[in-house]
């Protein structure tokens, strides 16, 4: 106790060092160094140790020795941050121990995976990406920060900025899709939303760009699997969103579980030290993924826990999340002179600095205000922001004969499907602290429009439990073949003017560890759809899913299809407003939808190959049984109105590196409704020192037009937009001919050309 008192006086002096006494010096740096000089080696290593929550309402959960050990470590100052502790009460109780009972009273940071909201859930990240609306995405992250910080969280493990081209990978739901340009802008918007303009404010949280690097490229989309991609893809596709995150000031970066070219990334000094730190100048905290320090052993890379600690710290991983290896092994490695204590100091400095940036040294309890927590969680303002985001995330995939929007009166509607009145699945995976069954269901949302008659039939079951606590072994194969609900569904559809069929994936069918070997609509749901089609072909298919699915049959037969992903708490309200035309859908796919699983990986910015075809003979790069083209391309999405693109014009055909080119297109709303179009600019670099993609997204604009309204939409092309990681391993442009395409998706074919000269 005595020691604590003296340490406190000392800490107090350090914290009150003021700017005048250290003119021209980094004030926080000085404070950090002073604290560091007070710390024992054990305490320093403790800062590099992150534990998962172990707290019941009033203290450490009694049921496990491990928990008690964690509690003891906490009191000894051997823990620097915690994850998965939620709510003001629990966080306050633990923070009090750190501040009042440890020798130096250094506050903890409390982290959570606030991926798409805390209590109120926004659409899953891939859905938000489909809005292409950076401002709305930033707002969504902002309210997630406001809500989670009101419940004591200071740090989120988001955004996931991994690019992926494989819908089998369950974590595509957490990212921004396949394109590095769009994903980079979205990463920056999310970070801005989470971190605001000042991390020390009580309503901002530190963000994390994850998972460094290439975790989204696991072979066959099986989570945690080997990654084997070349330098070209790594630099041109995987790295850009990380670079953008760093430019946006992200506070931390998380390493992945995967290996990359034979080296697990958590111990990969070439990429953490070499690229992230030295090349890009990242000065924030690098945290391992859960247990990824330890997992270097089964990877067959680290020989044992000592070696894992050595590899991770030497690579530059500052915090060990839940491996419990740093705290057990680093001291020994220093004593054995295997690593230098300087490495520890480097990491601890970054961690302490983050605590300063978050304002925790000024007031460790600043995020912990019970009244605020009560007022902010689920507030109407937050619900409203989530609703706006949800509407904008919906993508209209098909709308033959303008079946949508629906009339608001005198219709008999059969609302069918296991997801039609589901209040749980639409919440998606990664729920942080939200309660199960709290989404507005489609039935509830539609019932707010009372001019039509709705007959609801469930029709079939989802293949998984829908209580949100599905364990792999409990997969309910049992319900999978149950067609007992088909008859009543068919009868309801037969006597209705129109059927709305709401089917797709369970909310826990995508996400971490939820890879699938096929991407069909699961279970008997497609059979249900086919049965309904036999009695009433006026069908609106409303899909809920966390990944692109194979929709080939539906696309061929069903007149109207809405991709709604998993839209979170406000799902039913958003879908109803779109169905009834109170919001005209404007979303565009951030990821290609294949025709079948055999096309995977399929992505719009692919290379041409030496045999692009099509040819009459067989010897060109193609499948013999299906076209090469996807079912729905990247960037695709319809509106209830129609847009016409014409008059693409360019102000010069020759451009030197200092010049810019103005390119513009005439966009006209030729339909009957007001609508929003995402005008997309793609560029093709015709020849390069390495092969170049057939097209790359380089710009987009969201344009709102009244019926009959026309507008010229302009873009500026400058040399930096043409740079890529080339054969010289430099990020630079190369002179030559470029093609420009502008249009409504990645099939855009209005074309111009120009030449870049030096
Ligand atoms: C494992 C996941 O891969 C990572 O994204 C997440 O942040 C951590 N678990 C913590 O929950």
């Amino acid at each position: 106790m005595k020691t604590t008192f003296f340490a406190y006086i000392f800490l107090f002096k350090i914290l009150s060092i003021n700017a005048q006494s250290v003119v021209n010096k980094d004030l926080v740096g000085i404070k950090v160094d002073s604290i560091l000089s007070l710390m024992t080696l054990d305490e320093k290593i403790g800062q590099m140790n992150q534990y998962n929550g172990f707290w019941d309402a009033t203290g450490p959960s009694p049921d496990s020795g491990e928990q008690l050990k964690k509690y003891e470590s906490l009191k000894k100052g051997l823990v620097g941050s915690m994850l998965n502790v939620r709510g003001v009460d629990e966080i306050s109780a633990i923070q009090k121990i750190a501040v009042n009972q440890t020798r130096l009273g250094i506050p903890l940071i409390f982290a959570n995976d606030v991926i798409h909201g805390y209590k109120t859930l926004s659409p899953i990240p891939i859905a938000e990406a489909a809005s292409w609306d950076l401002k709305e995405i930033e707002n969504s992250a902002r309210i997630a920060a406001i809500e989670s910080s009101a419940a004591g969280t200071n740090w989120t493990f988001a955004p996931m900025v991994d690019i992926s081209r494989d819908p089998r990978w369950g974590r595509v739901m957490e990212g921004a899709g396949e394109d590095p340009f769009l994903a980079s802008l979205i990463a920056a918007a999310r970070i801005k939303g989470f971190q605001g303009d000042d991390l020390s404010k009580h309503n901002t949280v530190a963000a994390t760009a994850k998972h460094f690097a290439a975790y989204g490229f696991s072979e066959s989309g099986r989570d945690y699997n080997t990654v084997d991609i070349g330098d070209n893809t790594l630099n041109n596709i995987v790295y850009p969103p990380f670079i953008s995150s760093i430019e946006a000031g992200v506070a931390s970066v998380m390493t992945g579980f995967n290996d990359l070219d034979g080296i697990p990334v958590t111990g990969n000094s070439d990429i953490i030290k070499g690229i992230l730190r030295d090349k890009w100048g990242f000065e924030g905290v690098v945290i391992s993924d859960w247990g990824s320090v330890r997992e270097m052993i089964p990877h067959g890379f680290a020989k044992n826990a000592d070696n894992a600690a050595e590899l991770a710290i030497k690579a530059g991983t500052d915090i060990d999340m839940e491996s419990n290896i740093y705290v057990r092994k680093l001291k020994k490695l220093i004593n054995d002179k295997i690593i230098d204590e300087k490495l520890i100091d480097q990491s601890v400095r970054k961690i302490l600095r983050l605590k300063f940036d978050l304002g925790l040294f000024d007031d460790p309890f600043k995020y912990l205000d019970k009244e605020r927590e009560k007022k902010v969680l689920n507030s109407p303002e937050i619900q409203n922001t989530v609703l706006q985001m949800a509407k904008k995330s919906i993508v209209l995939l098909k709308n033959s004969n303008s079946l949508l929007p629906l009339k608001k009166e005198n219709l008999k509607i059969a609302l069918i499907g296991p997801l039609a009145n589901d209040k749980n699945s639409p919440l998606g995976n990664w729920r942080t602290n939200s309660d199960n069954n709290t989404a507005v269901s489609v039935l509830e949302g539609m019932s707010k429009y009372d001019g039509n008659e709705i007959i609801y039939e469930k029709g079939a079951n989802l293949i998984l439990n829908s209580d949100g606590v599905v364990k792999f072994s409990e997969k309910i194969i049992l319900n999978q073949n149950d067609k007992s609900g088909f008859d009543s569904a068919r009868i309801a559809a037969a006597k209705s003017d129109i059927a709305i069929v709401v089917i797709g994936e369970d909310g826990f069918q995508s996400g971490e560890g939820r890879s699938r070997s096929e991407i069909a609509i699961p279970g008997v749901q497609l059979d249900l759809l086919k049965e309904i089609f036999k009695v009433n072909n006026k069908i609106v298919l409303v899909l809920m899913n966390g990944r692109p699915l194979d929709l080939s049959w539906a696309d061929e037969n069903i007149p109207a299809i809405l991709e709604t992903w998993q839209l979170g708490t406000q799902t039913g309200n958003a879908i109803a407003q779109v169905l009834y035309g109170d919001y005209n859908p404007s979303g565009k796919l951030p990821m290609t939808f294949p025709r079948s699983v055999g096309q995977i990986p399929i992505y719009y910015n692919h290379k041409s190959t030496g045999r692009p075809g099509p040819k009459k003979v067989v010897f060109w790069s193609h499948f013999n049984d299906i076209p090469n083209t996807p079912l729905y391309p990247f960037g695709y999405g319809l509106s209830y109105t129609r847009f016409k693109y014409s008059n693409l014009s360019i102000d010069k055909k020759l451009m030197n590196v200092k010049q810019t080119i103005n390119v513009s297109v005439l966009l006209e709303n030729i339909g009957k409704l007001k609508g929003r179009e995402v005008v997309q600019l793609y560029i093709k670099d015709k020849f390069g020192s390495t092969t170049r993609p057939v097209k790359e997204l380089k710009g987009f604009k969201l344009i709102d037009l009244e019926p009959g309204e026309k507008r010229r939409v302009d873009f500026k092309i400058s040399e930096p937009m043409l740079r890529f990681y080339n054969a010289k391993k430099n990020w630079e442009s190369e002179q030559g001919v470029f093609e420009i395409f502008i249009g409504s998706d990645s099939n855009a074919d209005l074309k111009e050309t120009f030449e870049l000269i030096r």
Side-chain angles (χ1 to χ4, degrees), residues 50 83-84 113 115 157-158 160 171 174 210-211 215 224 254 257 289-290 321 430 512:
Q50 179 169 99
L83 84 147
N84 291 333
D113 288 283
I115 306 293
F157 295 142
M160 185 186 97
R171 298 195 80 167
E174 258 180 85
K210 68 187 190 185
H211 305 82
Y215 176 47
Y224 319 121
M254 186 186 291
F257 291 120
D289 202 340
W290 178 294
M321 182 201 293
W430 286 120
E512 187 182 345

Side-chain angles (χ1 to χ4, degrees), residues 476-625:
I476 307 292
I477 305 295
L478 209 142
N479 284 337
Q480 197 169 349
N481 298 318
D482 181 2
K483 297 188 176 176
S484 58
F486 279 27
D487 279 349
S488 3
R490 229 181 348 242
I491 293 166
K495 64 181 180 205
S496 298
D497 300 307
I498 191 163
I500 299 179
V501 181
V502 192
I503 55 179
E505 293 185 315
D506 180 278
F508 285 95
Q509 220 162 345
S510 54
E512 187 182 345
R514 270 72 170 202
S515 298
R516 293 180 62 194
S517 65
E518 36 98 305
I519 53 166
I521 299 171
V524 293
Q525 297 180 96
L526 185 58
D527 294 342
L528 174 68
L529 183 64
K530 289 179 180 173
E531 285 303 302
I532 292 163
F533 182 71
K534 285 182 194 156
V535 295
N536 187 343
N537 60 12
K538 274 198 167 174
I539 295 179
V540 178
L541 172 60
V542 175
L543 292 158
M544 292 184 187
N545 40 285
R547 53 160 63 76
L549 294 176
D550 171 0
L551 303 173
S552 305
W553 185 88
D555 178 66
E556 221 170 277
N557 297 286
I558 303 297
I561 308 178
L562 276 181
E563 175 55 76
T564 74
W565 318 99
Q566 285 140 353
L567 294 175
T569 310
Q570 287 290 332
T571 291
N573 291 334
I575 292 176
Q577 289 186 25
V578 165
L579 287 170
Y580 281 114
D582 285 342
Y583 185 80
N584 186 352
S586 53
K588 301 276 186 176
L589 296 177
M591 207 170 163
T592 303
F593 274 45
R595 291 175 193 277
S596 86
V597 79
Q599 288 184 314
I600 298 170
I602 181 167
Y603 46 95
Y604 85 95
N605 48 357
H606 60 85
K607 306 290 182 67
S608 160
T609 81
R611 295 191 174 192
K615 295 243 164 69
K616 288 208 179 78
V617 287
V618 75
F619 303 110
W620 63 285
S621 179
H622 72 302
F623 297 104
N624 283 192
D625 49 357

